[in-house]
Amino acid sequence: MARCRMCREKATVFIPHHRLPLCDEHLVSWFERYLQRTITKFKMFPPHAKILVAVSGGKDSLVLWQALVNLGYQADGVFIDLGINEFSLLSRRVSENFAENLGRKLHLISLPKELGFGIPALKRRTRKYCSLCGSIKRYFLNRATRTLGYDVLVTGHNLDDEASALLGNVINWSLKYLARKYPVLPENNGFVRKAKPLCRFTSFEIREYAKRQKIKYLTERCPLSPEATRLVYAEIMDRLEEQMPGTKIRFYMDYLRQLYPLLQEKVEDFLDRDLVRCEVCGEPAVSSPCFVCRLKEEFRSQGI
Ligand code: SF4
Ligand code: ZN
Ligand code: ZN
C-alpha cells in the first residue's frame, strides 16, 4: 500500500475517484472536508441552520449525521417506523442507540400509529408499494421538518443512489423527475428545503468512514425488498463503473452542469399543476384530500 497523501505514513485505504491514498486519520478529515465543500458548492444550508437528518439506521444516514455533528452543525434526527415487524424494531433500536451516543435528539414517527397500518399491508394491495412507501416517507418527513421548526431536511442519498436513479429517469425520459433532480431543493409552497450532502460520495467511501468512526449501523435490508427495476439500474451503473472507472460521478455531475440548467428554463412545463392544501390534513398536495388521507380513508372503510 502507498503512503498517505497528507502525512506520508502508511496508507490504509485508496480512494479511486480522487486517486487518494490515505491513512485512517486523514480518511476521516478528507471525508469531512469534502462534505463541507459539497455543502458550500451547492449552497445547501448556512453554518447555523437547524438541520433534521432522515435516519433509517443504515450506514448512509448515520454517517451523514455523525459527519455533520463533527463539522459543528446543529443536526437532529427523525426516524420513521414503517411497521415492518422485526426489521423496523431493529432499525429503530440502532438509530436510538446512535442518537444517544451522539448526544442529539431523535424524533420518532410511527406509520402504524399515524395511518393505522404499516408498509406490509400496502404490499398486499399493490405491486408499487416501494414508490408509495417513498411518497409516504417524504410526506411525513416534510411535515415533521416544518412543524418541528427545522430549516432543512437532509437525506443520506449517495452517488450510487443518485447515478442509478438518474439512469432510470433518463431511460424513461421522466422530465418531471429530471427537472427536480438536484442535490438541494428550496423551500416552496409548504415543502421544506431539502438537501443530499452525500451526493458526491460512493458507498465505498461512506463505508470506510463508518469503519473508522466505529459507527454501528444496520446491515439488514428491508425484507420487502426494492422493486426489481431499481436493482437493475443499480447493477448496470455498477458494471459501467467497473469497466470505466469514474462513470458514475461524470454521469451525475455532467447532468447537473449541462442538462439541469437547460431543463430549468422550461421547468414549468414539466412540473405538476398548481398545488393545493389538503382539506383534511393541511399538507401541500396535487389534489385534496391528499394521497395519504385518501389511503387512510380507504383502509379505514375496508376495516383494515
Ligand atoms: Fe420501503 Fe421498498 Fe425501501 Fe422497503 S425497500 S423501505 S418497502 S421503499
Ligand atoms: Zn495520513
Ligand atoms: Zn391530507
Side-chain angles (χ1 to χ4, degrees), residues 139 278-283 285 289-294:
Y139 169 97
C278 169
E279 69 217 15
V280 183
C281 69
E283 288 299 299
C290 72
F291 80 101
V292 171
C293 291
R294 269 187 281 128

Side-chain angles (χ1 to χ4, degrees), residues 1-13:
M1 181 66 86
R3 302 259 148 205
C4 168
R5 180 74 54 81
M6 313 288 174
C7 69
R8 312 307 299 163
E9 291 293 315
K10 209 166 145 207
T12 53
V13 63

Side-chain angles (χ1 to χ4, degrees), residues 19-89:
R19 296 180 198 283
L20 260 185
L22 293 168
C23 68
D24 286 352
E25 185 191 329
H26 286 112
L27 179 278
V28 171
S29 57
W30 166 78
F31 190 97
E32 291 171 2
R33 255 200 336 273
Y34 193 50
L35 178 65
Q36 182 55 61
R37 276 188 7 226
T38 307
I39 294 167
T40 310
K41 177 181 172 62
F42 292 105
K43 300 187 178 66
M44 290 183 172
F45 39 80
H48 300 296
K50 277 186 76 191
I51 301 166
L52 190 61
V53 185
V55 173
S56 66
K59 72 176 188 323
D60 302 313
S61 55
L62 297 189
V63 159
L64 175 59
W65 198 4
Q66 175 81 59
L68 286 173
V69 169
N70 289 358
L71 283 168
Y73 285 101
Q74 291 180 63
D76 291 333
V78 57
F79 173 84
I80 302 187
D81 178 340
L82 301 171
I84 309 177
N85 312 328
E86 282 301 303
F87 173 73
S88 288
L89 286 176

Side-chain angles (χ1 to χ4, degrees), residues 82 84 87 119 123 129-134 137 221-227 230:
L82 301 171
I84 309 177
F87 173 73
I119 302 300
K123 187 178 179 184
Y129 59 94
C130 272
S131 318
L132 215 44
C133 172
K137 282 190 268 195
R221 302 220 160 241
C222 168
L224 303 185
S225 75
E227 288 161 19
R230 293 182 190 212

Side-chain angles (χ1 to χ4, degrees), residues 124-237:
R124 288 193 286 275
R125 296 167 53 100
T126 165
R127 276 195 300 143
K128 298 216 159 198
Y129 59 94
C130 272
S131 318
L132 215 44
C133 172
S135 305
I136 292 173
K137 282 190 268 195
R138 281 192 292 277
Y139 169 97
F140 283 105
L141 290 172
N142 187 68
R143 195 180 81 175
T145 310
R146 208 188 52 244
T147 54
L148 294 167
Y150 289 90
D151 301 315
V152 58
L153 171 72
V154 299
T155 52
H157 293 92
N158 63 36
L159 177 63
D160 303 71
D161 303 327
E162 292 302 282
S164 58
L166 178 60
L167 178 67
N169 291 158
V170 168
I171 298 237
N172 294 304
W173 287 122
S174 314
L175 295 179
K176 192 172 107 178
Y177 293 111
L178 286 170
R180 274 187 295 210
K181 192 140 204 63
Y182 202 71
V184 58
L185 293 174
E187 182 183 355
N188 174 32
N189 250 326
F191 288 110
V192 299
R193 187 175 187 81
K194 296 186 190 85
K196 297 174 181 172
L198 293 182
C199 65
R200 295 201 290 174
F201 289 91
T202 62
S203 284
F204 168 74
E205 293 158 2
I206 294 168
R207 256 196 314 273
E208 293 298 312
Y209 178 86
K211 238 191 264 172
R212 283 155 185 89
Q213 289 282 285
K214 301 193 172 32
I215 294 176
K216 291 199 184 80
Y217 58 85
L218 189 77
T219 47
E220 281 82 352
R221 302 220 160 241
C222 168
L224 303 185
S225 75
E227 288 161 19
T229 48
R230 293 182 190 212
L231 289 177
V232 173
Y233 297 135
E235 273 166 25
I236 292 173
M237 276 321 295

